[in-house]
Amino acid sequence: MNFPVIMWKTQRLRGLISKISNFSPTFWKWFMNVGIVVAFGAMIFITYTLLSSIPNAFETPTVLILIHGVDVPGSPIYVPLVYGLLGLASVILVHEFSHGILSVREKIPIKSIGLLLFFILPGAFVEPDEESLRKSKKSSKLRVYAAGSVANISLALIALVLFSLVSAGIPHFFAEDGIVIDRIVSDSPSEGILKEGMILESIDNHKVNDSQTYLNIVKSFKPGDNVTVQTDQGSYSVVLSKNPTNDSVGFFGIQAAKHFVLKNNDLGQLPWILFNLIELFNWVFILNMGIGLFNLLPLKPLDGGHMLEVLLSYKFHEQMVKQFVNALSGVMAMIIVFLIMAGFL
């Protein structure tokens, strides 16, 4: 244990991974055979998405660093602390344990396994024996390398289905009753004027009935407009600024959400937990899909870079492949750094 990193290694987790892997070896083999195809398809998709974002780099930030509970300058994206940590924990655990499960399936020894905590950020690690992995069959390498990201994408899709099912249950228990301010963006026109929890009743005498009328109203304002906002706690004036993603649209700097009321109290306050589940599944989906895809970029030391290296080695000399993938990794890394920096300029 070395603060701020707390690390816990255990043999029990290794035993658990072996049990899961040995439960149905055939399933894991064919699941990852399909997973390899999915992984390369995802690699093409995320690479194309990254490259196509370069022309618009200075207009709308495309690659963003997501820090839990912290605003990203010029971006409306905000990751809530608790749900962000739970989502991140699901990403790491599923990713690393999947590498371990496929390593055991491919008869590649695991050197170490455990959990760690860096400040408040959760983590996990599964370390296959590098020498054994290097000497293994190319198909085995592809399965092991693809396992983490394919598992993340699979969990993201499961979370999306659960999100949809829970969302479908909302109308049975709740009725929409206007719009509530969920969050005030820092350094925005509304900061210090409006507050979280306020219910919006009207904007410049335009009554806010539901989310659709709210969206239609806010789209009609321009930067510099002095807008009167009527809430359940009083009336306030806000001078709008430029929207970070569209200079021609006025920017309030509030994150609004639908305001719901219970249709009946037969179950007491229990139905409100549905909104917590929706938020949790939402961030499990976003983080697993986003990080899973990013990890498939053809860039070493990411899994995508290792996969591309193995794929090319079927047809080309190993030394030539290494030189090509290393050069490609350098180019991809520079593109990512450029897109990140452009988002802050």
Side-chain angles (χ1 to χ4, degrees):
M1 181 185 302
N2 295 306
F3 186 80
V5 178
I6 300 174
M7 184 179 296
W8 175 55
K9 292 186 179 182
T10 177
Q11 295 298 318
R12 292 183 180 179
L13 291 178
R14 184 180 299 181
L16 175 62
I17 286 178
S18 296
K19 286 181 180 179
I20 295 174
S21 179
N22 294 328
F23 179 74
S24 182
T26 303
F27 166 78
W28 291 116
K29 176 181 178 180
W30 288 105
F31 177 71
M32 285 315 305
N33 283 345
V34 175
I36 290 170
V37 177
V38 171
F40 277 114
M43 181 189 297
I44 295 171
F45 168 76
I46 188 62
T47 303
Y48 171 79
T49 301
L50 190 73
L51 296 178
S52 63
S53 68
I54 294 176
N56 301 319
F58 292 100
E59 297 176 15
T60 303
T62 302
V63 178
L64 299 168
I65 300 175
L66 301 182
I67 305 173
H68 303 298
V70 179
D71 296 334
V72 181
S75 170
I77 293 178
Y78 172 83
V79 185
L81 179 63
V82 175
Y83 297 114
L85 287 176
L86 290 174
L88 182 61
S90 73
V91 172
I92 298 171
L93 288 173
V94 167
H95 188 99
E96 293 298 326
F97 279 35
S98 295
H99 280 312
I101 291 169
L102 266 297
S103 293
V104 172
R105 165 63 184 78
E106 300 300 329
K107 305 295 189 275
I108 299 170
I110 298 176
K111 290 174 59 178
S112 60
I113 180 173
L115 306 174
L116 57 86
L117 190 69
F118 178 72
F119 286 106
I120 62 171
L121 297 179
F125 58 92
V126 174
E127 184 183 5
D129 182 76
E130 290 294 334
E131 186 63 21
S132 298
L133 181 59
R134 188 180 65 83
K135 293 180 179 179
S136 63
K137 296 187 298 182
K138 293 175 182 178
S139 59
S140 296
K141 292 178 185 178
L142 287 175
R143 292 190 194 103
V144 173
Y145 287 136
S149 291
V150 170
N152 287 138
I153 294 172
S154 299
L155 179 58
L157 295 177
I158 293 172
L160 181 61
V161 172
L162 294 174
F163 176 92
S164 301
L165 291 175
V166 175
S167 298
I170 295 296
H172 295 287
F173 298 100
F174 299 93
E176 188 175 349
D177 184 30
I179 293 294
V180 63
I181 297 177
D182 188 51
R183 173 176 159 264
I184 303 293
V185 178
S186 61
D187 297 323
S188 71
S190 295
E191 187 177 32
I193 301 175
L194 302 178
K195 296 179 181 179
E196 295 176 4
M198 287 181 172
I199 299 174
L200 301 179
E201 297 178 347
S202 67
I203 301 176
D204 258 11
N205 296 320
H206 298 287
K207 187 171 177 56
V208 178
N209 297 316
D210 51 35
S211 56
Q212 190 57 54
T213 58
Y214 167 75
L215 290 174
N216 293 336
I217 292 169
V218 297
K219 287 179 182 177
S220 65
F221 295 111
K222 304 296 182 183
D225 287 349
N226 192 333
V227 179
T228 301
V229 181
Q230 182 66 42
T231 75
D232 62 330
Q233 298 180 30
S235 182
Y236 303 88
S237 293
V238 178
V239 179
L240 307 186
S241 62
K242 293 181 180 179
N243 193 298
T245 59
N246 189 337
D247 288 349
S248 64
V249 177
F251 183 58
F252 282 85
I254 62 175
Q255 187 177 77
K258 295 179 180 179
H259 182 244
F260 291 96
V261 293
L262 272 172
K263 289 183 177 180
N264 60 67
N265 293 318
D266 293 346
L267 298 177
Q269 300 300 307
L270 184 61
W272 289 103
I273 197 174
L274 294 178
F275 292 104
N276 299 106
L277 293 175
I278 286 174
E279 189 79 356
L280 175 61
F281 294 145
N282 176 55
W283 285 108
V284 169
F285 168 75
I286 290 173
L287 293 176
N288 274 275
M289 184 61 74
I291 295 176
L293 288 174
F294 183 85
N295 194 61
L296 288 173
L297 283 169
L299 162 65
K300 292 178 69 175
L302 300 181
D303 291 331
H306 290 294
M307 289 187 66
L308 180 61
E309 193 170 76
V310 175
L311 180 67
L312 294 176
S313 67
Y314 276 99
K315 291 293 183 180
F316 302 101
H317 188 271
E318 181 178 348
Q319 188 62 32
M320 181 188 301
V321 169
K322 285 186 176 296
Q323 291 176 350
F324 172 77
V325 174
N326 288 340
L328 179 61
S329 297
V331 172
M332 295 300 296
M334 287 188 290
I335 291 173
I336 292 170
V337 172
F338 164 74
L339 290 172
I340 292 174
M341 298 302 297
F344 288 87
L345 297 178

